Amino acid sequence: MQKVALVTGGMGGLGEAICIKFAALGYKVVATYSPSNSKAQEWLRSMNSMGYGFKAYPCDVVSFDSCKACVEQIVKELGPIDVLVNNAGITRDMTFKKMTKDDWDAVIHTNLDSVFNMTKQVVDGMVERNWGRIINISSVNGQKGAFGQTNYAAAKAGMHGFTKSLALEVAKKGVTVNTISPGYIGTKMVRAIPQEVLDSKILPQIPMSRLGKPEEVAGLVAYLSSQEAAFVNGANISINGGQHMY
Amino acid sequence: MTNRVALVTGAMGGLGTAICRAFAKDGYKVVAAYHPELDKPEEWLAEMRADGFNDFITVAADVSDYESSRAMVAEAEAKAGPIDILVNNAGITRDRFFPKMGRDMWDAVMSTNLNSVFNVTQQVSSKMAARGWGRIINISSVNGVKGQAGQTNYSAAKAGILGFTKALAQELVTKGVTVNAIAPGYISTKMVMAIRDDVRQGIIDGIPMKRFGKPEEIGALCSYLSSDLAGYMTGATLNINGGLHMY
Ligand SMILES: NC(=O)c1ccc[n+]([C@@H]2O[C@H](COP(=O)([O-])OP(=O)(O)OC[C@H]3O[C@@H](n4cnc5c(N)ncnc54)[C@H](O)[C@@H]3O)[C@@H](O)[C@H]2O)c1
């Protein structure tokens, strides 16, 4: 039976690569996007003109009710969700000294509360059906901290705490919950950084001296979603070109 | 890329067999390294052929011995060509509480589980770097990560593997060669299934997933790590333990 995979922030750099990989593997692919994203239909048309057959639904992951309504609609139209990738996220970088409560809240709401909001809608069904995959996209900076990211690092580290606890709760039920911690990946966002900053500040931190590719993260998501990855549970998998080993 | 050559140590054991099969399915040429006294290559090959795996190449070595490892890799290269993927999987246990552990038990585990990684990897790593592509996968253990009573030797050797993995990963990081470790939890190999029933049930009760892992699940992870798409992952420890230990 064709499995349904839902990717939040599915139209972003990583999200898109993950959607493409799922499509290649024969999943029914649903991308959710922020309701304020005015380019969503354009994205969907261009993807589907390449033959992907994606479905897209607006969903404000910060809002529990929006997540609830969105998932209900998806389940009604496409069937139950087998794989959830919590990928939506933002940054509001600045030193703690300058960081306002708003900057903190925005990041915690979007990156961490969203994981509660979305996972809550799907996990009971996965447990009932005895099969499910929840994959949380964290970050190397959640593992090691980063200057100017007290908010982001807190949210991303928090994600893995959630992963481990939920993994324990659903371990017997055929559902796995894992975290992926990517290093710097060459999405549009990162590639927009001026080359001299990349060369002088970022690449020197990466032993492999290159950015990761979105497809490389998608490959890992595909592995974790597979039947064969069923014994991987509560893990935090680093994919960072050697930037942080622990 | 189907012409790649994979060398697996401890290949005829529970995990090794599954890793060899996974690689064969990926289209790699597989060299199975076995221990000249501990393993039975003819029986193993016959079993593999019965399951449709006809192309395994075998070489023998005591991987705790440097010279034996060197000769084994040379033979593997002569038979199969340069090694692109190495899985350091050979390992033993000599469990005993520390006060009673003989120095010989410590040495046996160190030399088989940790020194072997030096012995075999040194034969292939520079050549991988020179060719610009390689995968080194070291099989550690959940007990190397979390410690386990009765296994000071095993936990030390398996944790040592993680240190080695991270250091070598850094040395090879710009050369297209990745070095990663897999830390399996309890996997249903013969060794684990031979544990007394009531004790085995006790272990299962302690695993959040309430089951052992399957050898094929380790094979699949090796297969993923060997793929081109895993090229950005290096120095990582991959935990596959049914939720037994999370950190
Ligand atoms: N089975 C598990 O649950 C489990 C869990 C965590 C880690 N591991 C690790 O996985 C690896 C494989 O374990 P397994 O369960 O398949 O065990 P196994 O006993 O079935 O296989 C081990 C193999 O290593 C070989 N070997 C031992 N000493 C050797 C030497 N000096 N030279 C060459 N070969 C030698 C043995 O002949 C055997 O074929 C080991 O490193 C083990 O520590 C296993």
Side-chain angles (χ1 to χ4, degrees):
Chain A
M1 238 239 323
Q2 213 185 2
K3 289 202 155 76
V4 177
L6 188 161
V7 182
T8 70
M11 302 186 179
L14 282 187
E16 179 180 300
I18 294 167
C19 288
I20 290 174
K21 184 70 183 186
F22 277 136
L25 293 171
Y27 290 79
K28 248 189 247 180
V29 182
V30 188
T32 70
Y33 59 95
S34 158
S36 64
N37 181 347
S38 57
K39 303 224 173 80
Q41 291 311 317
E42 198 182 304
W43 179 87
L44 192 61
R45 261 195 306 279
S46 98
M47 284 291 136
N48 288 349
S49 73
M50 294 186 265
Y52 288 120
F54 294 154
K55 301 279 189 279
Y57 292 82
C59 178
D60 177 5
V61 292
V62 169
S63 151
F64 185 84
D65 292 337
S66 171
C67 292
K68 185 162 182 289
C70 173
V71 172
E72 274 168 7
Q73 194 186 349
I74 294 169
V75 171
K76 201 160 76 205
E77 294 177 12
L78 302 172
I81 289 149
D82 301 296
V83 181
L84 167 66
V85 183
N86 284 309
N87 165 72
I90 58 167
T91 54
R92 290 285 182 275
D93 295 356
M94 66 201 67
T95 58
F96 185 64
K97 193 178 151 91
K98 300 216 177 109
M99 188 177 288
T100 65
K101 180 75 162 69
D102 282 350
D103 300 319
W104 173 267
D105 288 342
V107 169
I108 301 294
H109 290 158
T110 310
N111 298 7
L112 188 53
D113 294 345
S114 61
V115 174
F116 177 92
N117 294 343
M118 284 306 289
T119 307
K120 194 79 182 162
Q121 315 307 329
V122 304
V123 73
D124 293 347
M126 289 176 176
V127 164
E128 265 163 43
R129 294 188 306 279
N130 244 296
W131 203 94
R133 297 281 185 269
I134 295 165
I135 300 170
N136 296 320
I137 307 293
S138 178
S139 163
V140 66
N141 289 348
Q143 298 172 297
K144 71 170 190 52
F147 188 97
Q149 291 200 321
T150 47
N151 50 2
Y152 187 79
K156 292 299 193 179
M159 235 182 197
H160 189 54
F162 174 89
T163 291
K164 292 185 280 191
S165 297
L166 186 63
L168 288 171
E169 294 184 21
V170 298
K172 275 185 293 194
K173 308 292 185 183
V175 180
T176 69
V177 190
N178 291 290
T179 301
I180 293 179
S181 292
Y184 285 99
I185 308 297
T187 56
K188 276 176 214 134
M189 189 175 82
V190 172
R191 276 183 283 124
I193 299 171
Q195 190 64 43
E196 67 267 22
V197 177
L198 265 182
D199 289 344
S200 65
K201 293 257 155 58
I202 295 185
L203 292 181
Q205 300 175 38
I206 306 172
M208 218 174 259
S209 295
R210 69 166 176 92
L211 302 174
K213 297 180 213 133
E215 303 81 58
E216 293 178 314
V217 176
L220 181 53
V221 171
Y223 164 69
L224 282 177
S225 305
S226 71
Q227 191 50 46
E228 290 161 313
F231 206 54
V232 182
N233 201 6
N236 186 357
I237 304 188
S238 303
I239 177 161
N240 59 33
Q243 194 189 347
H244 182 64
M245 308 178 184
Y246 67 102
Chain B
M1 243 284 218
T2 48
N3 292 328
R4 288 192 171 136
V5 176
L7 172 64
V8 180
T9 71
M12 302 186 181
L15 297 191
T17 300
I19 296 167
C20 289
R21 288 170 176 246
F23 283 157
K25 286 190 186 138
D26 288 337
Y28 302 135
K29 220 189 258 186
V30 180
V31 186
Y34 65 95
H35 187 282
E37 281 106 48
L38 300 173
D39 295 298
K40 303 200 176 77
E42 293 314 322
E43 265 174 43
W44 185 80
L45 281 170
E47 244 176 75
M48 293 304 110
R49 275 193 294 267
D51 291 341
F53 295 92
N54 297 308
D55 302 321
F56 291 136
I57 297 162
T58 60
V59 292
D62 176 353
V63 292
S64 68
D65 180 85
Y66 186 84
E67 183 45 35
S68 174
S69 303
R70 197 199 54 72
M72 177 272 283
V73 174
E75 189 189 345
E77 289 170 336
K79 287 178 163 169
I83 310 298
D84 300 298
I85 300 162
L86 167 65
V87 184
N88 285 307
N89 163 72
I92 57 169
T93 52
R94 293 286 183 276
D95 297 354
R96 190 73 52 88
F97 280 97
F98 186 65
K100 296 247 169 73
M101 184 180 288
R103 174 66 203 220
D104 57 326
M105 300 172 79
W106 174 266
D107 289 339
V109 168
M110 283 301 146
S111 58
T112 305
N113 295 12
L114 186 56
N115 296 342
S116 63
V117 174
F118 177 94
N119 296 342
V120 181
T121 307
Q122 201 168 57
Q123 315 308 323
V124 304
S125 59
S126 305
K127 293 179 214 165
M128 287 176 179
R131 290 194 307 278
W133 200 93
R135 296 282 185 267
I136 296 167
I137 301 171
N138 299 318
I139 306 295
S140 176
S141 165
V142 66
N143 290 347
V145 177
K146 74 169 189 52
Q148 176 61 44
Q151 292 199 320
T152 48
N153 50 1
Y154 187 81
S155 298
K158 292 297 191 181
I161 284 181
L162 304 180
F164 174 88
T165 297
K166 291 184 268 194
L168 188 65
Q170 297 192 26
E171 293 187 21
L172 298 176
V173 74
T174 56
K175 309 289 185 190
V177 181
T178 68
V179 189
N180 293 290
I182 295 178
Y186 287 92
I187 310 298
S188 58
T189 55
K190 281 182 200 126
M191 189 173 82
V192 169
M193 298 317 280
I195 299 172
R196 225 174 56 211
D197 276 0
D198 54 326
V199 178
R200 210 174 66 230
Q201 192 52 50
I203 296 174
I204 291 180
D205 290 341
I207 303 170
M209 219 175 256
K210 303 295 175 215
R211 69 168 176 93
F212 293 128
K214 296 179 225 141
E216 303 77 58
E217 293 177 315
I218 307 299
L221 186 50
C222 287
S223 168
Y224 164 71
L225 280 174
S226 302
S227 71
D228 280 319
L229 271 182
Y232 203 56
M233 186 179 290
T234 196
T237 300
L238 290 108
N239 294 292
I240 174 162
N241 59 32
L244 180 58
H245 182 64
M246 311 177 182
Y247 63 96

